[in-house]
Amino acid sequence: SGGVLGIVGLGRIGRAVAQRARGFGMRIVYTQRTRAPRAVEEALGARYVRLDDLFVMSDVVSLHCPLTEETRHLVDERRLASMKVGSILLNTARGPCVD
């Protein structure tokens, strides 16, 4: 509780995860191709950030993106290395999103 949750893909499932994380007092940051409407951000207490910044600042990164050519190997060695020591990567997306 109290950490930072980074969500990659704030669609239906990403939003549901954000709602639950708020119950644990987590701060929510997210990224996706297009920024969510302000009303969604306000309802979730979520802040839009760049992908690389999300990996640096999050205690938990949760992937909820579709597998496309753009997201294939989205998480690579460089992004994993940028994460905080002891942080967690949850891949609920397709396997190949992580290289």
Side-chain angles (χ1 to χ4, degrees):
S1 69
V4 177
L5 172 64
I7 298 176
V8 180
L10 198 64
R12 184 177 50 85
I13 296 171
R15 290 176 191 183
V17 170
Q19 288 174 331
R20 285 157 178 80
R22 289 190 68 202
F24 289 97
M26 297 187 83
R27 290 176 290 140
I28 311 297
V29 295
Y30 79 95
T31 195
Q32 59 185 11
R33 278 187 295 172
T34 57
R35 189 171 180 165
R38 181 175 300 212
V40 171
E41 290 181 345
E42 289 175 0
L44 296 173
R47 183 168 59 108
Y48 181 80
V49 297
R50 292 176 342 129
L51 181 63
D52 287 334
D53 294 337
L54 182 140
F55 275 84
V56 170
M57 65 193 327
S58 299
D59 298 298
V60 178
V61 174
S62 189
L63 302 181
H64 303 280
C65 51
L67 179 60
T68 65
E69 284 307 310
E70 186 179 57
T71 62
R72 181 177 297 279
H73 298 162
L74 183 77
V75 181
D76 56 13
E77 184 177 0
R78 179 183 62 81
R79 287 205 171 106
L80 286 173
S82 74
M83 294 175 74
K84 297 177 185 180
V85 173
S87 59
I88 298 168
L89 173 67
L90 298 172
N91 183 13
T92 60
R94 301 288 184 194
C97 290
V98 178
D99 182 10

